[in-house]
């Protein structure tokens, strides 16, 4: 997926804009909703152009699709539980960033270095001085759940085994994603999981054909076709 910095209000190109449609994908096999983007922007939310009315985790206006320099882009305008994009390749994941895997919402935090006690001896109960990052589970209502320290090197996330295991989440694959730590830098790679790995948007990004976004509990797939297609 090609991403880049978006300049808001960029000058419009003369090339015809692509044709864009958005589809809400139903995991239960129920009827899907689909809308075409017919103007300069399209809003997803409880009261948006693409309505998501029955999801308590979606704001009235949660995500905005718009054109920047002739390319389609998306931004989170609702805050709250955020908008997440499905990753297609290995991505860097910064402190304060959030991840969606299955039904899990996960936050990346730094682990402060343990302070030595009298005589320079590390105190019992202090964080492992070799661990600098951890993943924290965020439960419904924003309550913090389990915390998973990330060791240097590879950390496997999966359902039944691994360094981060979620055995009761049927939407997490057995080997779902790999989190690689090198000092204070973390990258994440999806391991061809069934339901994907999603990163929260922190700024507007460009959208490519086939991109998928989690908006609340709704999975939205975007189709971008050239005007001549």
């Amino acid at each position: 997926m090609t991403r880049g910095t978006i300049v808001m209000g960029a000058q419009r190109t003369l090339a015809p804009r692509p044709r864009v449609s958005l589809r809400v994908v139903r995991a239960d096999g129920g009827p899907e909703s689909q809308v075409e983007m017919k103007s300069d922007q399209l809003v997803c939310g409880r009261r948006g152009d693409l309505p998501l009315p029955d999801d308590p985790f979606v704001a009235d206006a949660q995500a905005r699709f718009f054109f920047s320099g002739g390319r389609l882009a998306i931004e989170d305008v609702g805050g709250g539980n955020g908008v997440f994009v499905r990753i297609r390749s290995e991505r860097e994941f910064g402190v304060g960033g959030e991840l969606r895997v299955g039904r899990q919402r996960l936050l990346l935090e730094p682990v402060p270095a343990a302070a030595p006690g009298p005589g320079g001896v590390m105190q019992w109960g202090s964080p492992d001085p070799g661990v600098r990052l951890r993943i924290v589970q965020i439960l419904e209502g924003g309550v913090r759940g389990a915390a998973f320290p990330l060791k240097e090197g590879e950390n496997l996330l999966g359902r039944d085994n691994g360094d981060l295991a979620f055995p009761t989440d049927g939407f997490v694959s057995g080997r779902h994603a790999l989190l690689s730590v090198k000092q204070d830098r973390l990258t994440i790679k999806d391991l061809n999981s069934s339901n994907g790995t999603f990163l929260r948007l922190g700024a507007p990004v460009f959208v490519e054909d086939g991109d998928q976004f989690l908006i609340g509990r709704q999975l939205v797939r975007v189709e971008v076709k050239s005007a001549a297609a």
Side-chain angles (χ1 to χ4, degrees):
M1 180 186 312
T2 302
R3 300 296 180 195
T5 302
I6 294 176
V7 178
M8 305 300 291
Q11 185 176 0
R12 186 177 302 178
T13 63
L14 297 178
R17 287 179 174 173
R19 295 186 292 112
V20 176
S21 61
L22 290 85
R23 181 188 302 272
V24 178
V25 180
R26 292 283 298 271
D28 59 5
E32 300 180 349
S33 58
Q34 181 175 354
V35 298
E36 293 188 9
M37 188 170 176
K38 297 184 178 296
S39 61
D40 290 343
Q41 69 172 12
L42 184 147
V43 175
C44 299
R46 283 203 299 262
R47 299 183 179 181
D49 305 301
L50 177 60
L52 307 171
D54 301 321
D55 193 326
F57 300 101
V58 174
D60 286 349
Q62 185 67 62
R64 181 175 78 100
F65 289 88
F66 63 99
F67 286 99
S68 175
R71 293 184 63 184
L72 182 66
I74 181 176
E75 66 174 334
D76 178 9
V77 295
N81 293 291
V83 177
F84 294 75
V85 59
R86 184 171 184 169
I87 63 174
R88 298 190 183 189
S89 59
E90 188 172 17
R91 296 279 298 276
E92 188 162 352
F93 184 31
V95 167
E98 292 186 32
L99 181 69
R100 288 278 298 274
V101 176
R103 296 298 190 192
Q104 309 303 317
R105 179 180 168 194
L106 307 170
L107 172 68
L108 180 64
E109 288 187 339
V111 177
V121 178
M122 304 304 294
Q123 298 298 296
W124 181 87
S126 297
D128 182 343
V131 174
R132 292 291 173 263
L133 297 170
R134 65 186 172 202
I135 290 287
V136 179
Q137 186 183 35
I138 304 299
L139 306 176
E140 194 167 318
V143 177
R144 294 166 66 89
F148 302 88
L150 300 175
K151 66 180 185 291
E152 186 81 5
E154 295 184 344
N155 298 262
L156 176 64
L157 186 155
R159 184 175 63 247
D160 300 320
N161 50 47
D163 304 283
L164 298 83
F166 302 96
T168 62
D169 192 333
F171 293 91
V172 175
S173 297
R175 290 173 51 86
H176 195 108
L178 193 65
L179 289 78
S180 300
V181 177
K182 186 175 182 180
Q183 298 181 348
D184 293 331
R185 181 173 177 265
L186 172 66
T187 58
I188 183 165
K189 179 180 180 181
D190 185 80
L191 299 178
N192 296 317
S193 64
S194 298
N195 295 298
T197 300
F198 294 77
L199 290 181
R200 183 169 183 168
L201 298 182
V205 298
F206 289 117
V207 180
E208 306 291 344
D209 180 46
D211 277 355
Q212 297 181 27
F213 298 91
L214 273 177
I215 304 175
R217 292 175 174 169
Q218 313 303 314
L219 179 61
V220 176
R221 186 179 188 277
V222 183
E223 297 178 358
V224 182
K225 306 297 182 185
S226 67

